[in-house]
Amino acid sequence: MASINLDMISETDGYPPVDQWKPAFCGDMDLVIKRNGDWVHEGGKIKREKLVTLFSRVLWFDQSEYFLVTPHEKVRIQVDDVPFLITQCDWVRPASGRPYFRMITSTNDCLQLGIDTDLELHECDGEFRPYATMRHGMRASLHRNVFYDLANNHAIEEIEDDQTSWWVESAGKRYCIGRS
């Protein structure tokens, strides 16, 4: 990958136009994004948060594969489940508009449920899990603590035809977060 100044990356920076970059494929990189949100390069966890944030900003999803891209390079990486993990969630009551859940990922992406992101329920390993939609067709999973907070403190249980489901509302939209 091309050298990049990590000091230029901040939590409030915008996102580079990776959707406009069409570099040639350069090969595979020994980088794995683990289910728990860890980014592991050549067997060791990347400990520099700014580096992980930088990599997350140039992540691209194409035909079920993940790539890090710059204007001149495109390298494939591996992702265990989904590349992003929502680690924080809070209830926002704006002065105007409907209240919503603000979700923050471990890479400092800020998502507004019902405004710029939605929750989708997917079956994984025999159970249903909610995933938030993200940029470029990517998704984020909910950290266990975030999921339990939503389920225990904000969800409404509904039973229909012997099936139980749990729903939350955000920005006037309803989302199923679990089903049995």
Side-chain angles (χ1 to χ4, degrees):
M1 298 292 292
S3 68
I4 300 169
N5 182 353
L6 296 179
D7 294 326
M8 294 172 44
I9 303 299
S10 76
E11 292 179 18
T12 59
D13 281 342
Y15 297 90
V18 294
D19 58 323
Q20 297 172 21
W21 298 341
K22 306 296 181 209
F25 177 67
C26 298
D28 294 314
M29 181 179 187
D30 186 5
L31 177 66
V32 179
I33 304 174
K34 301 299 227 175
R35 185 180 301 270
N36 68 356
D38 289 346
W39 291 56
V40 178
H41 181 251
E42 296 181 349
K45 178 181 173 184
I46 300 174
K47 296 178 182 172
R48 294 179 68 190
E49 287 182 35
K50 283 188 175 186
L51 184 58
V52 170
T53 298
L54 169 69
F55 282 160
S56 77
R57 298 299 196 260
V58 296
L59 190 61
W60 181 253
F61 182 65
D62 185 27
Q63 298 180 357
S64 300
E65 294 184 309
Y66 293 90
F67 301 90
L68 297 180
V69 296
T70 70
H72 306 287
E73 297 176 300
K74 177 180 178 181
V75 295
R76 182 175 29 230
I77 66 168
Q78 299 302 309
V79 176
D80 283 349
D81 182 21
V82 294
F84 299 100
L85 179 65
I86 295 170
T87 56
Q88 300 173 49
C89 182
D90 60 346
W91 186 242
V92 176
R93 295 178 190 270
S96 63
R98 294 181 176 193
Y100 64 92
F101 286 104
R102 178 178 45 218
M103 300 176 161
I104 309 293
T105 69
S106 58
T107 54
N108 299 312
D109 296 279
C110 182
L111 309 172
Q112 300 170 5
L113 185 59
I115 300 170
D116 62 8
T117 191
D118 292 309
L119 286 180
E120 300 171 342
L121 207 56
H122 293 272
E123 187 174 2
C124 300
D125 303 324
E127 62 183 43
F128 289 98
R129 296 181 188 163
Y131 290 90
T133 58
M134 297 262 316
R135 63 188 180 276
H136 310 306
M138 294 183 280
R139 294 182 293 164
S141 63
L142 278 62
H143 188 278
R144 185 178 307 269
N145 293 341
V146 170
F147 175 78
Y148 284 141
D149 178 58
L150 286 174
N152 291 331
N153 299 317
H154 304 284
I156 298 169
E157 181 180 88
E158 291 183 359
I159 301 171
E160 185 177 315
D161 297 330
D162 294 329
Q163 183 175 10
T164 304
S165 56
W166 294 268
W167 296 80
V168 295
E169 186 172 315
S170 182
K173 295 182 181 178
R174 286 175 31 106
Y175 298 97
C176 185
I177 63 165
R179 183 177 293 144
S180 66

